[in-house]
Each structure stands twice: as C-alpha cells, then as structure tokens.
Amino acid sequence: MPPLGYIRAAMRYSVLSLARNALTGHRDWPQAWRSPEPRRHYQVVIVGGGGHGLATAYYLAKEHGIHDVAVLEKGWIGGGNTGRNTTIVRSNYLLDANAHFYEHSLRLWEGLSQDLNFNVMFSQRGVINLAHTDGQMESYSRRGNAMRLNGIDAVLLDRDQVRQRVPLLDCSPGARFPVVGGLLQPRGGTARHDAVAWGFARAADARGVDIIQNCEVTGIRVEDGAVTGVDTSRGHIGAGKVGIVVAGNSGRLAAMAGIRLPVESHVLQAMVTEPLKPCLDTVITSGAAHMYISQTDKGEVLLGGDLDFHNSYAQRGNLPRVEQVVQAAVTMFPFLSRLRLMRTWGGIMDMTMDGSPIIGRLPVKRLYLDGGWCYGGFKATPGSGWCNAWTIARDEPHPLNAPFTLDRFHRGWLIDERGAGASPKSH
Amino acid sequence: MSQPFRAERGGLVDRERSLRFRFDGAVYEGHPGDTLASALLANGVRVVGRSFKYHRRRGIVGAGAEEPNALVQLAVGARTEPNLRATQVELFDGLAASSQNRWPTLDFDVGAVNDVLSRFLPAGFYYKTFMWPATWWMRYEHFIRRAAGLGRAPRAADPDHYFKRFAHCDVLVVGAGPAGLTAALAAARSGARTVLVDDGAHPGGQLRREPHAVDDQPGHEWAARALEVLRGLPGTRVLTRATAFGWYDDDLVAVCERIADHLPEPGPHRPRQRVWWLRARRVVLATGALERPVVFPGNDLPGVMLASAAAGYAHEHAVQTGRSAVVFCNNDSGYAAARILHGAGVGVRAVVDARGGGGGTAARGDAQTAGAEIVTGAVVSAARGRGGVQSVTVQDHDGLHLSGSPRTLACDLLCVSGGWNPTVHLFSQAQGRLRFDAALAAFVPDAGRESVICCGAARGLWALDECLADGERAGREAAAALGYEPAAAPARTAPAPETAPTMALWEVPDGEVRRGKAFVDFQNDVTAADVRLAARENYSSVEHLKRYTTLGMGTDQGRTSNVNGLAIMAATLGRAIPEVGTTTFRPPYAPITFGAVAGMEVGRDYEPVRRTPMHDWHVAAGARMQNVGLWQRARYYPRSGESMADAVCREVRHVRETVGIVDVSTFGKIDIRGPDAAEFLERVTINRFHNLKPGRCRYHVMLREDGHVMDDGTTTRVRDDVFYMTTTTAAAGAVMSHLEYHAQAVWPELRVHLTSVSDQWGGLAIAGPRAREVLRAALDGADVGDEALPFMSSREVTIAGVRMRVFRITFSGELGYEVHMAADHALTVWEAVLDEGRGFGVEPYGTEAMAVMRIEKGHVVHAELDGRTIPADFGFDRMMRKDGDFVGRRALGREAFTDPRRRGFVGLVSRNGRPIPAGAHLVWNPTAPVPMHTYGHVTSTCYSPTLDAHIALALVEEPAKWKGRTLYAASPLKRRSTEVHITDPVFYDPEGRRARG
Amino acid sequence: MILIPCPHCGPRAQIEFTYGGDATVRRPDPGTASDTEWLDHVYLRDNPRGPHLEWWQHTGGCRAWIRVRRDTLTHQVLGAWPATGPVAGEATP
Amino acid sequence: MTEPVRRSALEGHLEPGRHGAPDGARVRLSQGRVEGVTQLQGIGDGAAAGQALAALGFTGEPAAGRAIGGADLRLLWNGPGQYLAVSSRRHEQQLSAALNEALAGTGACAVDVSHARTLLRLAGPASRDLLAKGCPLDLDVMASGDCAPTVVSHFNVLLHCDGEDAFELWVTRSFAQSFLEWLLHAGAEYGVQVTA
Ligand SMILES: Cc1cc2nc3c(=O)[nH]c(=O)nc-3n(C[C@H](O)[C@H](O)[C@H](O)COP(=O)(O)OP(=O)(O)OC[C@H]3O[C@@H](n4cnc5c(N)ncnc54)[C@H](O)[C@@H]3O)c2cc1C
Ligand SMILES: NC(=O)c1ccc[n+]([C@@H]2O[C@H](COP(=O)([O-])OP(=O)(O)OC[C@H]3O[C@@H](n4cnc5c(N)ncnc54)[C@H](O)[C@@H]3O)[C@@H](O)[C@H]2O)c1
Ligand SMILES: Cc1cc2nc3c(=O)[nH]c(=O)nc-3n(C[C@H](O)[C@H](O)[C@H](O)COP(=O)(O)O)c2cc1C
Ligand SMILES: [Zn+2]
C-alpha cells in the first residue's frame, strides 16, 4: 500500500538538536533519507536523483499531495551535474520566458533552507557580468533593463564600481580585456550544491518519497502510447507516470521511449584552487574571456568556462579547456598566477538547440521530460522541480513552463538567449 | 648555529655549506639537499601549522607529496605562495616561510576555540544550523568564510614567467625510482624515444630513503649513475623536479617541471615552471607507493609520523625526527624504519606490530639491530602529549577489540606504518580499473589501457629486486609493443628479503568507545567518528562520505586518508571494501600553479591582436582604438579638447558635407570561383546570383539552416566564374567555415573553390559628396564616373602596379566607394587618398561615426542581426529569391515566423530632445508597476548630428500597427525613459539619391 | 587531448580542429521532404553514448571538413574519413 | 609613379639585434620576402593531380606534407588538392595569372594571396624548442622538405622545414605582429638574433 499522506517524523535540524546530540556523541541522528527496497509500482516514478528529480518529488508530495513517488538514481543522489557545477544562482535573463521562470526559482531559493529544514547555504553575494567593450555594456543594459521591467533586481556598474567590489580584478585600461563596467544582480549568488540534493532528498523522504540509489533505468515501457513503467537494474517498476529528469542523459532516456530530442550531450569542466582565506566576495563572469569565478565558503576559488565543444558522456574533459580557463582567470585576476589548481572535473550537459530547457509532456502519454539545462540548470533546481511537479500532477504545464515545450522547435517559438541557433555547443 | 636534531654523520645533504632560512620570523640553518621540512625538523621545529577546522597544532607527517599537514606560506610580496608542502620545498639561502591558518600566532591561535567546541561541530553541522533567522545566513557565512581557507592569496601580479611545451615520445616513464629507472633504461636502450620524469630533485625514489644497495652501490648512487646513462642515450630526455599531473585522452600526459623553485628567483629570461604536454605512445607508470597511517586517538599529535618518512629524514637528511621512538606497524617496512632510525642515532624503544606473528626474519633482524623491543599482536591504542607526542599506550588486540592491559611507553616520536597504497592516480585517470588486493590490503591496478603499463611499487610489488626486474619488464614491453628490439636485460643484484604479509588494519579497535579524536583526514580534520556519523545518517556511499565530511578534499586529495576512510565506512556498514570502492582520481595529481598551466598566453597575450595595414597610422594619428573581436579598429580621431561625442559629430558632419575615409580592412573577404560559383551562392544566400552581371555587386543575406539571419555583406561578380564576397568583421571566420561545410560536405558535386582573401586585401571606404573627386585624384584620374562605375558596381584598376578593386557601395548613405588594395600597399593607398584628397577636404573617420551614419540610414548590423531575427523582420523577404532552395528557406514557414506578434524593424525618434537610452525597452507607461509588458527593444541608438535628433533603431511587435505612434524607451537601470516616435528605420535620404548621385 | 587522424594531414591534436556535430544527419531533399522531416533534420539528434560519427573541420590545418567516428564515452577515435565517400561500417549516403 | 615598395605587416616592428638571454643566440629570426604567392585549389589527387602539376612543370605528385620546387616556383602542400605556390621571381598577379592559364581545363584554380601571409624564417639549434612552445606537431621528426599547415599558439601557421633546424613560418598577415611578439617572448629563454 502506498503510504498516502504519510509524513515521517523526522528530527528537526536546529541549534538545539545539534546541542542535544552533541551530548550523546551524535549517536542518535536519524538517516537523512532512507534507502528502501523499490516497490513494484508507484504512482509517479522520477528517473534521476539529481537536484531536479529530487525537487520534483518533493514538490509532488508537498504541493500536490502525491506521496507515492520513487526517485530512481543510477548512482548516488546528487552525483550528476548537481554535484559538479559551479553553483551560480541568478535570474538575469533577457527573454521573458526565461526571466519569469528563473525568477520564480530564485524566489524559491530565498526560502529554501527554511522550507527544507536543511541549510543549503544560499549565499546572495551578487553576480557580476563583466563588460569589456561599450557594445557589451549596451547589451548588458538591454538585459538589465529587461530584468528590471520584469521585476528583477539589476544594477549597472561602471568601472570604478566594479573595481570597488572586486579589488583584485585587473581593471587597468591597458588590460587585454579592459573592464568597462558590468551588470550586477545583487540577489544572485551561490549555494552549497550537495546540500541541495540532500536537503530535497531528506524533505521528500520525510513526505514518503522512496529514494532508490544504485538503480539504473534501462528501459521505458510504453503500451498503447502510454507509459506503464520502467525497467531497471533492480527489476521492473510499474508507474502511473514517469518523469525523466536526467540532465546529460536526457537523450538516452528519451530514446528508450523511441523519442529523439533536440539535445546534444557535451562535457563541461570546472576546477578549484587550494583553499585560501577570503579574496573574492562576488561571483564574476566574463563572456569575452569565457570564464566565471567565485570563492566557496571553504575557501577554494572555483572556476568554469566553455564546453570542451564535442559530444561527450565522459564526465571528464581535456587539458586545452583547463588551460584556456586558467589563462582567462590569470588575465583577469593576475593574483591567481601563484595559486594552485587542486582538482578539475567534468559534467555532462544536455545542450539544447536554443539553449533553453524543456519541461513538459513528451509524445508518449504520461511521460514527461525535465531536461536540456545546458550550463545553467543548478539555479533552476527549485523552480524546475516546482514546475515539473505541477506538470506531472496535472498533466499540463504551469504558465511558467508553458513556453518550454518540446514542440517549440518545430513551431519556431525558440527561446534563444544567445541567438546561437541550432548549434548546441554554442549556447 | 646548531641544528640539534641533525645526526652527526650520514645523509645526502651537503654539510659543508649552510643555508639560512626563516620560519615564522625565526632564523634557522639547514644544508643544501634539505627540504624545508627536513631543515625544520633538524632544528627541532615540530609544530608547523594549524588544521583546517579545529585549528589543532600539527606537525610533519610525511616526506613528500603525501604530506597533509605541513602547509606553509612561502615568501612575501609578489612572490608569496600559499599552501606549499614543506616536504617538497627545497631549501635555498634566504628562504622565508610562515605557518598558516592561525591568528595571531602559531602558538596562540584564537581559532583553536573550535577545538574546544568540537563536539558541537561534527561533520556537516552547518547543514543543520545557521538557518535562523532566515536573513542571517550572510552574517554567519561571513565568519565561516574567515575561519575557513588556509593560506593567503598574493595581492600582486606574478613577476615570473611560465611556458608550456609540446613534446612527443615513444615511451614516457613516470617515476625515477628503481622501477622507473630500469624501465627507462630498457626502453631507451632498445631505441625507443624515451622520456623519464620524476617529481623529486634527484632520482632514486625510495632508494634515497633507505640504505639499500643495488649492484653493490649505494642505492642513490646507482640511481644517479642510471640517470647519467639515460641522459647520454640519443633521443632520451630526463626531467627532474617534474610532476606528471594529469593523463588526458590519447595518452597526453601533462608534466609540470619546476625549473627554478629551488632558487630564490628564476633569473633573467628563465622560466620559473614549464608544463610539458607530452604525447606518448606508451606510458610506463613507476610512481611507487605511499605509506598509510593508522587511525587511533591522538594520531594527529606532532611527532606522530609515517615510518617511511621518519626513516627517509634519517637516511636522506641525517635528521632525527625524535630522540626516542616507538614504531607501530602492520607490515615489515616499520622494522626497516626502526633500523634506519637507529642508524641515525634515534633510540627506538619498541616495534609494536599488530600482527600476531610479527615480521619476517629480516624484519626481526632489523629490530634487533635497532635494539628495539618487538611487541607483536599489539597496537598503539592512543598517543598522548601536549604540543607533541609524549607517550603512547600499547595494548594487545584480537582483531575486533583491545585485550589485555594497557602499557604506556614514553616517546617523542611515533612512527606509523599502516601498509602501502600503490600510487595509482595516473593509472586511474587513464581509465584504468582498480582491484582491491586483500593480501596487500591495498587497491592495485587492474585492467587498463593497452598503452599504459604499471610497474614496481605502483603495482603492489614491495621488494626492491622485484621492482628493479618489473621496471625492466615494463620498459621492454613498452618498447617491444612499438616494434623496437629490446636489448639484453642486464643482471642486477639487490636485496630480496623474505617478508611476512601485511595485515589489514585501518583503525585501531575500539577507537569509538574511547575519548580523543582519531583522525582519518588530517588536513580537513575528519575523524573516525565523522565517518561513522556519515554512515548513520545514510551518507554511506563513498562519494557522499567524501562530500559530507570533506574527507579527501584537501590539497593532498586524501593521499593518506581515503583508503582508511572508506575502509572504516565499509567496516561500519558491514560491507566488503571493494563494494564501497574509491572516489574518483582526478587531475592534477598534485596541485599545479595557475601560472604554469596558463603558460605565456596570459595578460596582454591572452589572445593575439589583429591589426589592419593602417593600424600604425591610426595610432600615430591619435585615434582611439577599440577592440572588435581580435581586431583593433580606429573608433574616432579626437582633436585636442574634443570629447568623443564632439569628435564623432564632427566626423559625421564632415562625411555628410564633404568627404571622409575609413579603414574597412577588417571585413571578411572570400574568393568564390568555379563554374558553379553562382549556383553555390544561390544556395547559401537568399539572393539571386545567376543574373548578376560581371562587374556588379549585390547586397546578400545569408541564413542559418534554422532560418535566422547569419550574416550580410556584398558579393561582386568579378568575372563569370569568379565572385568576391565580403562578410561582417565579426562573422568572417564563421561564414568561411559555413561555406566550406556546404561546399565540401553538402554539395560536393558543385565545382566551386573558396579561398579566404581577408588578409590579401586592405580596405578603405571613401564617402561624402566629394568622394568621386577624391577617388579620381587618388587613382591617377581613372574613370570612376557614374557611367564607368554606376551604383553597386565594381571595377579593377591597377595603378603603378598596385592592384585595386573599387566598389561603388556605401554604408553611410553618401556617394561612396570602397577600395580594396593588396595589403602591403594599403597604407600607401590610404596615404595617397589623404594626400591627393586634401584639396577636397578628405579626413579620416572612425567606426563610431560609421555606426551613427548607418543608424541614420537604417542599415542593420549584429545588434539587429542578433541570431533571433529572420529576413521578414527587416523586410528582406522582398529581395528573397522566390524559387529554389537555399540554406534556411525551409525553416521560414514555421508558425512563430509568420506570427503577427513578431517584432519587426522600426526607427525611433526622441520626442523631447533627450537621448534614447542604450539597451532600452519599449513600454507603454514607464511608471506602471513591474512586471510590465514590453513591446520591443532598442537595438542601436545615437545622436544624429545630421538630423539634430536622438534616433534609434528598434525591433517592435506588430510594427505596422505602431508606426506613427509613440511609446517610451525605458531604461530603469539608468532611471531614464524617453518618449519616442515610431518611424520608418531609414531616417536619412530614404530614396537613396545621395548614394546614387 | 584527443588525437584526430585527419585523413589528409595525419594524426593531429584536437586543438587544431573545430567540432561540427553529428555527421549522420543529412540535409534532406528540399523537394520531397515534409516539414517535419526537414525540421527533424535541423533539430533532432540521436546523441548516442558510444560510437558517434561526427564532423570536425581541420581549421588549424588543411581546413577540410572530415568525418570522425569517436566513442563519446571514452573519447576514443575509431576512424576518420574525408567529407565524402564511404565510411567504414556505414551505408554509403 | 612606379610600383611603391611593399610595406609589410612587420614594417617598423622587426628590430634587428639580440633579444632575450644575452649569452648566445640559439635562435635566429628574420623576415622572408618573395615575389608572388598563390593559393592553388582543386588540384585533386592521383592522376588528376599529376596532370595539373605537370601543367605547372612538375613531374609526379608531391606527397601530402611535402614541399617541392625551387626559386622560380615551389609548392607547399597545405591541404587536399591545395598548395601554396611561391615564387621568388614571378610577381604577384603575373604568377597567379600564369598558373591559372596553365591550369585551365584541369578544374583547378589559382588565387593570388601574395599579401595575405607574412613569411618569417626561424633557424638555429633552439628553433624546434621555441616552436614546441606553441606547436603540437612532432617537430623532432620534421625533416627538410616537410611542410604542414598547423597552429603555433593562437596562430595558424604553414610550417615548412627547409634545412637543418631551419623553418619557414607563413602566418596570416593581420596576425604577423602579434606572432612576432610571441616568437620573441617564447624565444627569450634561448636568445634571439633578429636580422632585418
Ligand atoms: C561544470 C558545470 C558547471 C555548471 N555551472 C552551473 C552554474 O554555475 N549554475 C547553474 O545554474 N548551473 C550550472 N550547471 C548546470 C547544472 O549543474 C545542471 O543543469 C543541474 O545541476 C542539473 O540538475 P539535474 O538534477 O537535472 O541533473 P543531475 O544532477 O545531473 O541529475 C541527473 C541524475 O540522473 C541520473 N541518471 C542518469 N541516467 C539515469 C538512468 N538511466 N537511471 C537512473 N538515473 C539516471 C544521474 O546519475 C544523475 O544523478 C553546471 C554544470 C556543470 C557540469
Ligand atoms: N618495504 C616495503 O614494504 C615497501 C613498500 C613500498 C615500496 N618499497 C620500496 O620502494 C621502492 C619502489 O620502487 P618504485 O620505483 O616502484 O617506486 P619509488 O617510490 O621508489 O619511486 C617512485 C618515484 O615516482 C615519483 N613519482 C610518483 N608520482 C609521480 C608523478 N605523478 N610525477 C612524477 N613523479 C612521480 C616519486 O617522486 C618517486 O621518485 C622499492 O625500493 C621498494 O622496495 C618498499
Ligand atoms: C562547488 C564545488 C566545490 C568543490 N570543492 C572541492 C574541494 O574543495 N576539494 C575537492 O577535492 N574537490 C572539490 N570539488 C570537486 C569534487 O571533488 C568532485 O570532483 C566533483 O564533485 C565531481 O565529482 P567526481 O570528481 O567524483 O566525478 C568541488 C566541486 C564543486 C562542484
Ligand atoms: Zn587536415
């Protein structure tokens, strides 16, 4: 029997519970989430235990009262892109559809730690997009104005204002990329990526969701044009509805249902330095130099750049991209030169043909896709889960994700923030 | 100055010379051959840093890359460098280092309060608190950030130079220990192009830490000689102080060579470090093994060290890491350490061996030599002391629990050997699989790439004779696989002691029930209790364990902690170790400076600059230059006292009223020829070309296959089968590739050849009412009249041997010409035009004036062609060919592309004389509450000196409906909004009379 | 860094090349293809995990567009062919 | 007016003298000058190539990656069916016109690119070391007569080995100055002797 309406009595996290447990040697902390055996059937099966899948399950239970949900994860939850991203959260978009959706997500971020009773360390330290020419300044103005008119915070900074906020940035006029100014979103920032997965998992689990790790979906069963369940490395699991939420593996999962997607999987790398005392307060991105940089709470400087620019499922990239990101970083922040790279890694991005995600129904009944997140799905995590849960629960999109359908490509309603066209690697 | 812990004899240091150095302000002495760590130890400095979380006093644990604790900040000023492992810093005279993560001093550190509060700060405590009040996170975080981090970043730019370098070889051998040396010798002697790299300053690896003889020579001398031999073999390269830090696809191994880190400064023109991008056909990994500590309470006290490290300091540096030692081990290598320590004058009280049967015969002999008591079947259950180890508790155990009565042994040094982990990092990076070898109690290489071969201790062989032979085998195998004939293997003599097997011991039993922290990861302060907490809370996947507790996430990447951590997790869960598995090994093997990875392409050299033939002229003329992609272009030519706006207005007026010239060399230029050239052009543009007459030009528009405009330009039919296309500056490269793709891949049957001639031709445009006169004068009176050269036509003229193409085209809307001339003559022609045209008043103008004039004319550039626009948005559909196929055509019929709400191209005129803000959006009422609907956006804006009005180009939905009406151009960012009148986008001379005149 | 065996130049480093995407997608006959077929060709991809036939242009070399079969999971190159002509293991287009 | 002197991209930037390490110049750098440079396209391969090349006065087919010919005309392979045709005697368009004429009917063509590339000559014992700082090719195996279109750092370069440790570097004109700066920077370690 599915435990409908079931809410597990979880130990609330607080200073007090921490103190109480300290006295007993922390021996009484319960599991953050259970690891149950999969049942034979669920009302909803979510494939993919990343932030989006877990958030979908959480909001299905919380907002739509659907508790008979399993999240199937082929490895360990949060081990996909959720666990390997540069954690930038922002809603600084030009196009309305994006702006509305990401702003909704940002608002959810703002109360997420409390909502989940798990500190996801959402740190609104501001995100600055640097402009290096007047032309870029103009296009950032266009974007910032669009944000403001959409009710989103945005501030245009001149060079001196950038310098004040980022003292170690090379703002000299003779720089290869002289800083002309920047667009700041003060409410943007970073969050503790793993905690997002764990927090959603714990909160979903508390509402009865089964989180099943080491369970790879290997097939999707379709009968009479409607989904009936999934085959997994742990056997067949029946499902009333199935949500595919697997980021870089979207194409593979869709193919199991005979569907081709406007998606290519590419590897994106990120890297950290050794930990340092605070030296960078804000998140900085530079389109011209192709890199973004921030400092984590633990003290590492965290960097990312462009894709490796070829299809890949390897979760690792090559040295030329690392070299280029590091060159860009040293060029903009000369102080980095004597710091050291501690670790590099990669994640598999589901790059779409217009750079925007797909959240909606697929051409198989009761089969849904939440994917195509490209570089930018971490910030979408709560918003995506929220919209996806709505879509799955009601079998129709919420107005916020209605523009993000799969058929927009064939109908021409592209949401192409960069204007790069049907070239996934260029978004 | 005395070095109280320097043994009287022995060691591979140069006692004849002394080097002075500072640590935390105090002055000490050491010798060439010392590392900072050995020199500190020689001087009796045992506490060298504070730990990451609890700020506990920490001493030196290891002797090389494995060191978790002894991280120091080196030097001051621009050359300061944080987080260096003292064990790998070679001593030089004048070296200055300081401890990290303490305030105010190493001895008295306020952060140590964390240690007192530590019971409230278990792994992951921050996920459970700091949530109230909700808005306070940023405040908590401020303090968390200040407490975290280790060293300090430099503030200044780095004065040193770095280079990268590509290299190729048949066989790359990583590691110059006994195995690596024999492998390299075998490969090189068989004729393979061989490269040998080693992390250390001297070859020998473990041979420098142990008094073993090879071929009856002291190990280090044998190694030095082997290196000499290698250096003498043709085609062989040896790099020392060189860390192979990453394996990449197709066996590209990245190696960082520290050329000058052992010197105070690199010296003029000398690089500090160099990264080698080594492409190898075979990679031999002889990376050795790293010793592992054991987890027990108090195991982080200064004075608790790895046995091999203590032995290494004794043998290599003649340093006594204590006066009175206890050795605690689960394998034979601890006994050898005891003997070596004894040899350096350290008293060894006991060898505590967890194995019931104790060590092999050789091992027992070692302990006897050292005069140490052998305690078998026992463990060190705790270490105690203030500021350093003062005593250890020794107790029997039965595998699961402690037994018998504890015994306390006083000592100031506890040498621990918990077994050895083969250094499998690069093998794993190379997609090799690991296998847990229960007999060795370690992960060893299993299946891997054919091209990657492991040998020696890296493969779990511990005996020296085996390592030597295995290296030889690997080197021969690598060479033979590439078709080289291996030379006969030399016979080698080396000790082959009989050893007793290692016992798996990760954590001393019953650790959980006793007080005192038992550390797994020293650097990140992860304890055994933290690992168990993670298990309890179901962070039990090894990857969750890592991320929840930060185990293995420090600068040492868990070299001494990962295996113990996962083994404790396995024990807690009751699973087998292979089931738990390891985390992923990632580059870099050891931290590498950004400077080295970046090489020389940083700062101003991050990207090259492209210059037009007239570049230097513009600079000399005082032009303000502007980056446009890689190009630099003259933006405007200010006269003294002029602002940019003044200068641009003057330049515009001058063109409109008289005549000006502008450098347009940056346009892309493509020679398209062949019998099918016209057909090809029709397929890649929306235009018709079959009917274009030779000598005529046509404005062309190119689409992407998804129907959006990709680029525009002009294409001229030079001859029947020769066309000359120009592209925009920004899209030149992309257009060339796009055309090549279609010519080579889509329509290979078309007989057409594409040649980029962007750099063959310099370009200048002459515009203004007097353009023709100027041109005629400059072209030695060539006929450029309306008949010889009508609008949208072109001709080739050769004057004094200078070949030029003159085009009657205009961007400004004035009577205009473009002249393209062979690039090496472009400056000459440019100067000639200015010279000959002086009488007509010709003056240069920049890209900014050009931009203003094109806005006045309603010409589109990339601000409008933003990748989201289609031909119909600009009315280009009128020039679109009605028949036939071209790239993008089929995508144009889609619903959204014909939707009446699509934004179309319009002009805007400010109604109140105020500027139309850049980046503004068009709204009905700028003061209405947000979010509000926007009807369109401004794409380009300027003050038009010609019209004396602020004008702009924009895209607006339902343009036909809005034309003639007003909206607001709102820029909330600048708190400005301007009421604008919506007009046709061509503000100036809409009939085009001036251009045709 | 991947080593790509350019059929014209021999093995060259990845940094000399520019990626061009799936090479199994062919431009349909504009005269006969339905709108859906056409747009499928523009937008939809198999995106396999494993062997993938793909375009690369040797922009830092001979400038030829070439077809490379490469495993997207291991990055291993399985073969390379000129822009036209048969590809081993593939029906001739 | 007679034909003006050509003003190369490096005019005023190639400072003769010693650069970098003062003790011994292990690299020599100078600018090369030729009369005409033409890009040949569509030479084809096999028999077709043989015909086309015969029309230009060459016997046999030069293999990919090789350079052939002499001062009057030499061909540097730079792609399938493509050669950079270089003449130290025949002037710009005269060269391309002559080549086009010779190639008429073969399907191949010649485009004058005499100004599109700047030629630098690098020689000396450290020239390979210098190039290896930016060029991913296996330079050790490059022998006299080999040529390869490749990259050196950010620059597209047609690299032609024309002697023991001697190279021709053909670089895109607009990048020439940046490339020169790169060479001097990369070569400073070895000492660079620049001659005009
Ligand atoms: C280097 C890097 C930097 C990034 N930087 C940012 C950034 O700064 N800001 C930002 O907003 N976004 C960023 N992103 C993007 C962001 O990380 C992702 O878009 C987002 O995390 C996607 O979350 P997800 O839950 O959809 O996917 P994932 O976290 O990848 O989760 C998908 C899960 O599905 C599982 N799965 C796959 N196939 C199967 C199967 N067959 N059966 C069962 N389970 C399966 C996977 O194991 C995985 O755990 C970055 C990404 C990377 C790689
Ligand atoms: N008694 C024991 O139980 C025991 C255990 C292990 C090893 N050993 C001894 O150690 C020796 C093993 O010989 P070996 O040659 O296999 O190893 P080694 O440890 O002697 O040499 C390995 C070398 O590789 C270098 N290295 C490692 N990673 C590197 C990298 N990424 N880049 C550059 N250099 C790197 C190290 O600096 C070291 O010099 C033998 O003498 C053996 O007896 C003994
Ligand atoms: C925001 C962020 C910060 C990270 N910080 C560290 C770090 O301090 N130390 C570390 O070893 N790895 C760090 N990592 C990298 C992880 O160790 C790991 O490489 C990454 O999660 C990808 O997983 P994988 O390498 O196991 O495939 C960080 C990753 C992210 C996303
Ligand atoms: Zn090639």
Side-chain angles (χ1 to χ4, degrees), chain A residues 25-218:
Chain A
H26 300 285
R27 259 170 258 262
D28 300 327
W29 288 110
Q31 293 194 335
W33 62 86
R34 300 159 298 133
S35 290
E37 280 302 308
R39 295 202 305 272
R40 288 176 50 200
H41 188 278
Y42 290 89
Q43 194 176 343
V44 179
V45 161
I46 300 296
V47 188
H52 291 213
L54 294 162
T56 302
Y58 169 70
Y59 290 114
L60 274 171
K62 182 186 175 222
E63 303 283 337
H64 305 280
I66 302 175
H67 304 268
D68 182 19
V69 178
V71 177
L72 310 184
E73 165 54 51
K74 75 172 151 96
W76 38 286
I77 59 167
N81 291 346
T82 301
R84 43 192 82 239
N85 78 94
T86 47
T87 79
I88 302 173
V89 175
R90 57 187 174 88
S91 63
N92 53 357
Y93 283 84
L94 171 70
L95 304 177
D96 287 347
N98 280 330
H100 295 151
F101 170 76
Y102 285 106
E103 178 60 11
H104 176 68
S105 192
L106 184 53
R107 298 229 169 103
L108 290 172
W109 274 110
E110 287 175 325
L112 199 58
S113 293
Q114 288 70 30
D115 190 26
L116 299 179
N117 179 232
F118 201 103
N119 191 349
V120 298
M121 304 186 184
F122 178 46
S123 172
Q124 294 182 289
R125 45 191 58 260
V127 174
I128 299 178
N129 298 130
L130 292 178
H132 303 284
T133 63
D134 288 352
Q136 283 167 17
M137 197 69 175
E138 194 167 323
S139 63
Y140 282 131
S141 304
R142 184 168 305 123
R143 204 204 288 189
N145 282 325
M147 291 163 65
R148 292 281 289 268
L149 293 166
N150 273 317
I152 301 169
D153 61 319
V155 181
L156 204 60
L157 304 177
D158 63 20
R159 187 174 56 164
D160 285 336
Q161 291 167 317
V162 172
R163 200 205 322 256
Q164 271 161 21
R165 280 166 191 274
V166 197
L168 292 179
L169 176 68
D170 182 0
C171 284
S172 61
R176 180 68 184 90
F177 295 107
V179 173
V180 177
L183 180 67
L184 165 70
Q185 183 177 24
R187 285 162 61 241
T190 57
R192 175 79 184 94
H193 56 285
D194 296 319
V196 174
W198 302 336
F200 272 118
R202 175 169 166 270
D205 173 88
R207 284 168 176 77
V209 171
D210 280 0
I211 292 163
I212 319 238
Q213 304 186 81
N214 300 312
C215 179
E216 175 163 6
V217 171
T218 53

Side-chain angles (χ1 to χ4, degrees), chain B residues 174-181 197-200 202-207 210 212 242-245 286-289 331-333 336 420 423 426 455-458 461-465 467 589:
Chain B
V174 182
L181 285 167
V197 304
D198 191 276
D199 217 9
H202 309 281
Q206 210 56 33
L207 288 176
E210 291 171 2
H212 286 315
T243 312
F245 66 85
T287 47
N331 71 95
D332 280 12
S333 63
W420 293 75
T423 306
L426 291 170
C455 64
L461 301 175
W462 303 154
L464 178 53
D465 62 329
C467 290
Y589 164 71

Side-chain angles (χ1 to χ4, degrees), chain B residues 389-403:
Chain B
V389 61
Q390 287 163 329
S391 70
V392 298
T393 308
V394 176
Q395 205 170 349
D396 289 351
H397 75 107
D398 62 11
L400 291 174
H401 296 289
L402 297 177
S403 56

Side-chain angles (χ1 to χ4, degrees), chain B residues 952-965:
Chain B
L953 300 174
L955 288 162
V956 68
E957 58 190 40
E958 298 181 88
K961 178 182 125 187
W962 282 107
K963 265 186 201 160
R965 299 172 62 185

Side-chain angles (χ1 to χ4, degrees), chain A residues 26 33 77 114 123 125 134 142 145 174 277 297 318 323 337-341 409 411 413 419, chain B residues 81-82 101 119 131 141 158 160 164 249 536 538 544 592 594-595 604 635 704 894-895 919 921:
Chain A
H26 300 285
W33 62 86
I77 59 167
Q114 288 70 30
S123 172
R125 45 191 58 260
D134 288 352
R142 184 168 305 123
N145 282 325
K277 292 295 173 194
D297 283 352
N318 272 295
E323 179 193 41
S337 180
R338 292 182 94 86
L339 301 183
R340 276 183 303 272
L341 195 63
F409 297 92
R411 293 168 60 219
W413 295 109
Chain B
E81 197 167 351
N101 203 33
R119 63 154 60 179
M131 287 182 274
E141 194 189 32
D158 188 341
D160 291 334
K164 84 144 167 264
D249 281 322
R536 197 172 299 134
N538 204 14
H544 284 152
I592 301 299
F594 269 44
R604 303 201 56 122
R635 196 173 184 192
R704 303 187 303 228
R894 285 180 283 173
E895 176 188 315
H921 293 261

